[in-house]
């Protein structure tokens, strides 16, 4: 009969006593005194058995009626073990818990700090980015907007590609006037239209000819006499000279920039084949003079607007925007870039004056997804000191140029190459001496205005890392700032992805 079969009501007087008698106890003690070692070993064995069977004694002490200590008889069931649940770990709220540790940051050890401290650089604004990872490696006032000089042509090009499209061509047309024999020449803004006759190449590659336009008009007139010429150059609004430009220096002495009218020939150069040549005081008059010459007429000329819906008598077109950008970037041509900026502003509905360029160009740049905060556009060429662009914008834009996104590959292809081509090529004293180590590895747009020398573009570094960079040397700087810039950029080339910001 199991203990659990019947309730316990009291001691059974017939059951044998479990309490040892005094005689038995005395005998046990005598045996222990005679054989103490044996009894100690036996006691140890009993403890071992008790530990092996679980915490019997502990259970008897802590919970329920106490059970007899000893080996259970065969008639007594062995208790079933209950697995002890694994405790849920808790955190002492007073004890700080370590957060997940951030990934280790690479320590870069190649410093250009000494080159960046060159006094020839004046007030330095610069930034270098790993074009693959987007990580900024070097920064000196990189988010501070500053005058870009001709580096601004990169932004104008990007806006033109986005707004006008790479295949857009600029037209110059002649239409019938409001009276018999009257013709109207309409300037579309093409600064490349050339006065040179067929067979003679002007400065601008593949330029359309005003001679061709005159021949089309004569054919369309069918022998009818031309009675008067009206000039419609209303596409571009006044003023035609940006107030912040130095007119004597740029238009007359250096001959880099004309009055920006919607009708001109050869960028209004005195010498139609030269990179730079003095410009006139009336580009429109010069263009009309050659139209009259090729028409074989000296009839009167007046300013006006073409009649709506007038019959077209002739049209010539410029090279596509991609070709215009390529040439302007290689030789830093101000005239093409002023044309493109004005056409961008008109197409974007901002207006047709210099004051419209900021809103127009920024609208053209919007689609590239780069923050334009701090940018101010005063002209399209970068000639004005009022332009302001942070180096950080350029390093981001040149990543897109490098990757040829949105048709920007044409900008990359037109960039001067260190020691080899364009305004970084032979004859410009760039990347010479110790800086010749980076010869052929820097693709960048140059810039120079009073109180500023700039360079921005792409470096194929010695370790194979593509870097984008912008360097502005501003303030009290001289012509030797160019060599200091070249040395710093060569430092970028030598360091590559190991370039440090220290």
């Amino acid at each position: 009969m199991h203990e659990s079969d019947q309730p316990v009501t009291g001691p059974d007087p017939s059951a044998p006593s479990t309490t040892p008698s005094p005689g038995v106890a005395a005998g046990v003690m005598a045996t222990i005194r005679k054989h103490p070692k044996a009894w100690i070993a036996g006691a140890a064995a009993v403890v071992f058995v008790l530990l092996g069977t679980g915490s019997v004694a502990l259970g008897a002490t802590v919970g329920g009626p106490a059970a007899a200590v000893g080996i259970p008889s065969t008639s007594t069931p062995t208790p079933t073990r209950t697995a002890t649940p694994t405790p849920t770990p808790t955190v002492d709220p007073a004890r700080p818990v370590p957060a997940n540790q951030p990934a280790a940051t690479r320590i870069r050890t190649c410093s250009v700090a000494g080159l960046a401290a060159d006094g020839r650089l004046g007030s330095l604004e610069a930034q270098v980015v790993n074009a693959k990872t987007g990580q900024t490696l070097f920064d000196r006032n990189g988010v501070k907007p500053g005058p870009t000089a001709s580096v601004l042509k990169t932004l104008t090009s990007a806006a033109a590609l986005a707004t006008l499209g790479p295949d857009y061509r600029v037209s110059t047309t002649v239409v019938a006037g409001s009276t018999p024999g009257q013709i109207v020449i309409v300037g579309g803004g093409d600064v490349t239209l050339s006065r040179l006759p067929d067979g003679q190449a002007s400065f601008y590659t593949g330029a359309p000819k005003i001679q061709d336009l005159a021949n089309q008009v004569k054919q369309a007139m069918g022998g009818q006499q031309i009675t008067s010429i009206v000039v419609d150059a209303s596409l571009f609004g006044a003023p035609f000279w940006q107030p912040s430009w130095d007119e004597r220096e740029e238009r007359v002495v250096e001959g880099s920039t004309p009055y920006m009218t919607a009708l001109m020939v050869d960028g209004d150069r005195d010498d139609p084949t030269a990179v730079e040549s003095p410009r006139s005081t009336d580009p429109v008059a010069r263009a009309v003079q050659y139209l009259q010459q090729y028409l074989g007429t000296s009839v009167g000329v007046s300013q006006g607007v073409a009649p709506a819906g007038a019959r077209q008598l002739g049209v010539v077109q410029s090279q596509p925007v991609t070709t215009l950008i390529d040439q302007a970037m290689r030789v830093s041509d101000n005239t093409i870039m002023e044309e493109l900026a004005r056409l961008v502003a008109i197409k974007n509905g901002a207006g047709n004056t210099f004051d419209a360029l900021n809103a127009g160009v920024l609208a053209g740049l919007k689609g590239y997804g780069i923050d334009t905060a701090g940018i101010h556009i005063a002209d399209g060429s970068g000639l004005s000191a009022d332009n302001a662009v942070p180096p950080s914008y350029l390093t981001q834009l040149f990543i897109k140029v490098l990757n040829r996104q949105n048709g920007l590959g044409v900008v990359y292809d037109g960039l001067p190459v260190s020691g080899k081509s364009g305004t970084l090529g032979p004859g410009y004293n760039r990347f010479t001496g110790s800086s010749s180590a980076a010869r052929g590895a820097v693709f960048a747009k140059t810039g120079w205005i009073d109180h500023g020398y700039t360079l921005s573009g792409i470096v194929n570094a010695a370790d194979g890392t593509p870097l984008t960079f912008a360097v502005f040397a501003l303030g009290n700087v001289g012509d030797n700032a160019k060599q200091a810039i070249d040395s710093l950029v060569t430092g970028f080339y030598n360091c590559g992805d190991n370039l440090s910001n220290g």
Side-chain angles (χ1 to χ4, degrees):
M1 187 185 304
H2 297 290
E3 291 181 351
S4 59
D5 289 345
Q6 296 291 334
V8 177
T9 58
D12 184 354
S14 63
S17 173
T18 57
T19 301
S21 65
V24 173
V28 170
M29 292 304 296
T31 303
I32 290 174
R33 283 194 293 268
K34 289 181 179 180
H35 306 285
K37 292 182 179 180
W39 275 93
I40 291 172
V46 171
V47 172
F48 178 83
V49 171
L50 290 175
L51 292 175
T53 58
S55 303
V56 178
L58 180 61
T61 303
V62 174
V69 178
I71 299 174
S73 67
T74 56
S75 62
T76 304
T78 303
T80 303
R81 280 190 202 173
T82 302
T84 303
T86 302
T88 302
T90 59
V91 177
D92 183 348
R95 186 185 300 273
V97 180
N100 292 331
Q101 296 299 311
T105 301
R106 175 181 173 183
I107 298 177
R108 291 174 166 84
T109 58
C110 190
S111 175
V112 294
L115 298 172
D118 191 325
R120 295 176 296 173
L121 293 172
S123 178
L124 177 64
E125 295 179 15
Q127 189 178 90
V128 181
V129 169
N130 181 321
K132 283 187 176 179
T133 66
Q135 182 177 5
T136 299
L137 305 181
F138 178 85
D139 190 280
R140 296 291 188 273
N141 301 308
V143 298
K144 182 180 180 181
T148 61
S150 284
V151 168
L152 188 81
K153 292 178 171 68
T154 307
L155 277 69
T156 303
S157 298
L161 288 166
T163 302
L164 305 175
D167 300 323
Y168 180 79
R169 295 173 184 262
V170 187
S171 298
T172 306
T173 59
V174 173
V175 300
S178 57
T179 62
Q182 185 182 73
I183 65 172
V184 182
I185 181 169
V186 183
D190 181 16
V191 302
T192 70
L193 178 68
S194 181
R195 64 183 184 263
L196 293 179
D198 289 342
Q200 292 187 27
S202 64
F203 169 71
Y204 292 119
T205 304
K209 305 281 189 175
I210 202 167
Q211 180 186 35
D212 183 18
L213 184 63
N215 289 338
Q216 291 181 43
V217 170
K218 287 189 290 185
Q219 184 175 359
M221 296 285 287
Q224 182 182 9
Q225 291 296 311
I226 297 173
T227 58
S228 65
I229 297 175
V230 175
V231 180
D232 183 352
S234 61
L235 185 65
F236 291 175
F240 303 114
W241 187 262
Q242 220 283 349
S244 64
W245 294 346
D246 183 336
E247 183 172 354
R248 183 179 182 279
E249 176 67 25
E250 300 301 335
R251 186 181 65 80
V252 181
V253 177
E254 189 166 325
S256 69
T257 313
Y259 289 130
M260 284 309 302
T261 56
L263 177 65
M264 67 177 73
V265 288
D266 303 301
D268 196 42
R269 291 170 172 82
D270 286 352
D271 180 352
T273 64
V275 176
E276 293 180 335
S277 176
R279 318 293 169 112
S280 77
T281 57
D282 193 345
V284 174
R286 176 179 266 171
V288 173
Q289 172 192 340
Y290 283 93
L291 176 66
Q292 289 178 299
Q293 176 181 312
Y294 286 118
L295 286 172
T297 183
S298 59
V299 296
V301 178
S302 62
Q303 300 287 330
V305 178
R311 180 171 68 96
Q312 181 174 292
L313 303 175
V315 61
V316 290
Q317 292 185 317
S318 73
Q319 291 296 306
V321 164
T322 50
T323 301
L324 298 179
I325 289 174
D326 181 81
Q327 184 164 12
M329 291 293 285
R330 290 181 190 276
V331 299
S332 202
D333 185 71
N334 290 341
T335 315
I336 284 179
M337 286 299 171
E338 292 302 336
E339 167 197 348
L340 292 178
R342 191 70 59 94
L343 293 175
V344 165
I346 293 169
K347 181 71 177 290
N348 284 327
N352 67 350
T353 66
F354 281 108
D355 288 342
L357 298 187
N358 186 59
V361 172
L362 290 181
L365 295 173
K366 185 176 180 181
Y368 293 103
I370 307 172
D371 186 5
T372 57
I375 293 180
H376 177 73
I377 306 295
D379 60 28
S381 61
L383 189 58
S384 174
D386 294 337
N387 291 301
V389 179
S392 57
Y393 184 88
L394 288 160
T395 56
Q396 294 304 308
L397 181 60
F398 270 110
I399 291 177
K400 295 182 182 293
V401 170
L402 174 62
N403 294 327
R404 298 180 175 272
Q405 296 178 23
N406 306 92
L408 289 170
V410 64
V411 176
Y412 191 8
D413 295 337
L415 290 172
V417 181
S418 53
K420 290 191 173 184
S421 67
T423 52
L424 288 178
Y428 285 87
N429 194 30
R430 301 300 296 266
F431 288 91
T432 58
S434 61
S435 296
S436 63
R439 187 175 186 271
V442 181
F443 300 73
K445 184 69 196 75
T446 56
W448 168 72
I449 55 174
D450 290 341
H451 310 298
Y453 287 83
T454 60
L455 188 67
S456 182
I458 297 157
V459 177
N460 293 326
D463 66 356
T465 304
L467 307 174
T468 59
F469 75 95
V471 177
F472 299 172
L474 305 175
N476 186 22
V477 292
D479 189 66
N480 59 6
K482 294 183 293 186
Q483 283 66 53
I485 291 173
D486 293 352
S487 295
L488 180 58
V489 174
T490 301
F492 302 157
Y493 165 80
N494 289 328
C495 290
D497 192 48
N498 195 33
L499 175 65
S500 74
N501 197 37

